[in-house]
Amino acid sequence: MSALRQRWSDLGRPERVLVWLFLATVVLKAYVYLGVAGDVLVGDEAYYLDSGRALSNAVRDVVWLRGPDTAEMDRIVVGSGWFMPGMSVALTPLYLLVPGASVAGARAYLAVFTTILLLVTVLRVRRTLGNAPAGAILVYPGLVPTYAAFGAAGWGDSAAGLVAVLMLCQAIEMLRRVREHGTISWRSGVALGTLAIVAVYFRSSVSLLVVGVLGVTFVVSMMLAARPERGRVVVSYVAAGIAFLAILAPWSLGASAALEARVITTVSVPTVRANTFGDRDLLCFGECDAGSSIWFAPLRYSREHARATGLSEVEIADEMSAYARRDVTSTSYARDVAINTGRYFGKPARFATLLRWKDGPVDIVPVAEIGTNALFYPFSLLILVVLGAWTRRSFDHQLQLVLLKVGILALMVQPFVHIAGPRYWTTLAPLLGLGAALLWSIRRDRHDDVPRAEGAVPRLLYAAQVALGLFALAVVVTVGLLAI
């Protein structure tokens, strides 16, 4: 006890604040867990839990030198090819230890898992960026009640956002090493590629973010590297690509074989685009069967049609989507994007209501609605502020701002390609926490009259800041004009 007290007294005030904030997130998650630990799964959660059980069965088969049940893997893990199995992999240890774990047990396990992931992310952010950004993430999204509820649920959205932050930190550290030492090691590239594909496994919608961050870091690295060391920089990014593809391969090859079509991440895009922007009454080359959802009726039709024609269900889904979208115009598309954006930012606490355990000891909905709205809308406004911000002073802040703009723009593609809703903000939220801290640092740079960063790379980063902001503005204006 005396050693613990000594360690506490050795901590500075900022570190003590971080400890108290983290403990607050733990208390909040424990409270929220009491309100969601029921026996009801919501939407896609059923896939992730069933897939976790199937993966645990496959691991047992391998350990006992039995051939894994490939039919079960194809039917349950691959399924329709709509979901990346990141959360299923995360759940596999639970079902290895407790094969009959209840929904409440799975929610408790996931709550602990996401709490540990948040802690790892905060520690990495503190090491890379400092105490203020780490504290900002603990506040937003750490203290958002609905985000805490997501942490006990089976979706991978919030986990993908945290791993994306880890990837950003790795990218920033790599670029710092290049600037200071002229080169980077291949091990750093492997770490970057691994974090990138882990984020994609949790949620395929971060793929564009991953591509954007890797592209920016590669270009800046090549510009910063000493000419004799550029070959080693290239090797580092080749190592990142190899790590990425090596971890992606088991899923991509397995899903492609099961669905008899090329699958890179997921194959849900055609059906999603048809349901979002097309005529749902034409999705099955006419009306789909009544009594099913807008997702499973077309899936069933594509499978039946595929069996009848000998084609892949993925090919049929592409044809169905094109047929349903044949009357889409620029105006109808822009209006749908505007509606989608409203769904994205509307009712941010809705999933706390869906996850609520009606017979539980606490009703989390009032707390979720008040606490979520109080933090969600002010931080959501930061999207506009970050995209419109610019700095010519600290090189490090320039770099962070460009990467954050790329990340935000990549994740905000959601309303342009997919039915949006109050679930997807959980992936973006940690980036906005970082954005709040960065804006404060930029303001402090100006107040302290920090000199401008000079050189070709700072000029490129400044131009990128301006270009990304203008691009975002142009997209908003164009959609608005077309939608009128």
Side-chain angles (χ1 to χ4, degrees):
M1 183 64 71
S2 59
L4 186 61
R5 289 177 179 173
Q6 182 62 42
R7 292 190 66 180
W8 177 257
S9 63
D10 290 341
L11 293 176
R13 183 178 179 184
E15 288 77 16
R16 292 185 185 184
V17 171
L18 290 178
V19 171
W20 284 119
L21 284 174
F22 177 70
L23 291 176
T25 67
V26 173
V27 171
L28 175 63
K29 188 164 288 186
Y31 173 80
V32 167
Y33 170 76
L34 295 176
V36 300
D39 293 323
V40 177
L41 296 174
V42 179
D44 302 342
E45 283 190 295
Y47 160 79
Y48 293 111
L49 270 64
D50 288 343
S51 181
R53 294 186 189 97
L55 287 171
S56 71
N57 292 337
V59 172
R60 288 191 194 90
D61 289 339
V62 171
V63 170
W64 290 104
L65 302 180
R66 299 192 298 258
D69 187 345
T70 56
E72 181 183 49
M73 296 288 285
D74 291 348
R75 186 180 69 256
I76 298 178
V77 179
V78 175
S80 59
W82 286 358
F83 311 106
M84 292 295 288
M87 285 305 291
S88 302
V89 174
L91 281 160
T92 299
L94 168 67
Y95 292 117
L96 280 172
L97 297 173
V98 189
S102 64
V103 172
R107 293 208 187 284
Y109 172 86
L110 289 168
V112 173
F113 170 78
T114 52
T115 299
I116 294 173
L117 181 58
L118 175 64
L119 176 61
V120 169
T121 304
V122 167
L123 292 175
R124 181 63 183 271
V125 168
R126 178 177 177 269
R127 188 183 80 185
T128 304
L129 303 176
N131 288 319
I137 286 182
L138 286 172
V139 172
Y140 190 83
L143 293 180
V144 180
T146 302
Y147 188 84
F150 263 89
W155 300 292
D157 304 71
S158 58
L162 292 174
V163 178
V165 169
L166 292 173
M167 184 185 67
L168 286 174
C169 289
Q170 177 66 18
I172 290 168
E173 289 185 3
M174 288 174 65
L175 291 171
R176 286 173 178 169
R177 289 193 197 104
V178 176
R179 189 169 187 239
E180 293 169 4
H181 306 294
T183 189
I184 43 179
S185 70
W186 63 268
R187 295 180 182 83
S188 295
V190 170
L192 182 64
T194 300
L195 289 169
I197 188 56
V198 169
V200 172
Y201 258 92
F202 277 123
R203 188 68 182 156
S204 62
S205 61
V206 303
S207 299
L208 191 58
L209 180 152
V210 164
V211 171
V213 170
L214 290 176
V216 169
T217 52
F218 175 72
V219 171
V220 176
S221 293
M222 291 297 289
M223 292 187 68
L224 288 171
R227 189 178 296 275
E229 298 294 337
R230 286 178 181 171
R232 293 184 63 186
V233 172
V234 172
V235 169
S236 177
Y237 284 92
V238 169
I242 292 172
F244 186 97
L245 294 175
I247 299 173
L248 175 63
W251 164 256
S252 182
L253 295 175
S256 296
L259 296 173
E260 299 180 344
R262 185 177 65 179
V263 178
I264 298 176
T265 55
T266 58
V267 298
S268 60
V269 171
T271 302
V272 165
R273 291 174 67 196
N275 276 323
T276 308
F277 306 110
D279 187 342
R280 295 177 185 175
D281 292 335
L282 299 176
L283 185 50
C284 297
F285 301 113
E287 290 190 22
C288 296
D289 293 338
S292 185
S293 72
I294 61 174
W295 305 113
F296 291 106
L299 174 64
R300 185 167 58 246
Y301 181 87
S302 68
R303 287 179 172 175
E304 292 173 353
H305 199 48
R307 281 193 293 267
T309 59
L311 298 174
S312 162
E313 66 183 72
V314 177
E315 295 177 88
I316 300 299
D318 283 334
E319 294 177 4
M320 293 165 59
S321 177
Y323 187 82
R325 292 182 290 110
R326 60 183 181 172
D327 294 326
V328 172
T329 65
S330 58
T331 297
S332 70
Y333 175 76
R335 288 173 178 171
D336 287 333
V337 168
I339 293 170
N340 249 352
T341 305
R343 290 196 189 104
Y344 188 102
F345 292 102
K347 300 180 181 179
R350 178 172 176 266
F351 271 80
T353 303
L354 295 177
L355 291 166
R356 176 182 59 180
W357 182 17
K358 294 181 181 179
D359 298 324
V362 298
D363 183 1
I364 65 167
V365 173
V367 171
E369 289 181 342
I370 295 172
T372 301
N373 291 339
L375 287 170
F376 175 80
Y377 287 110
F379 273 88
S380 292
L381 290 174
L382 287 178
I383 295 174
L384 301 176
V385 181
V386 170
L387 291 177
W390 56 271
T391 180
R392 305 184 75 167
R393 298 176 186 272
S394 165
F395 172 84
D396 214 59
H397 292 161
Q398 283 187 312
L399 179 62
Q400 292 176 44
L401 186 56
V402 169
L403 290 174
L404 277 179
K405 287 189 179 193
V406 168
I408 290 171
L409 286 172
L411 292 180
M412 285 308 302
V413 166
Q414 181 84 26
F416 291 82
V417 298
H418 194 294
I419 292 179
R423 160 184 167 182
Y424 301 109
W425 64 264
T426 56
T427 306
L428 176 63
L431 297 185
L432 297 183
L434 291 181
L438 179 58
L439 291 171
W440 178 260
S441 296
I442 290 173
R443 179 179 179 276
R444 189 176 56 196
D445 286 346
R446 292 170 179 167
H447 181 268
D448 295 342
D449 200 24
V450 173
R452 291 182 179 183
E454 300 294 340
V457 177
R459 286 195 296 271
L460 174 66
L461 291 175
Y462 175 73
Q465 295 171 52
V466 175
L468 290 168
L470 291 175
F471 172 76
L473 177 62
V475 170
V476 171
V477 171
T478 301
V479 170
L481 292 175
L482 287 175
I484 295 175

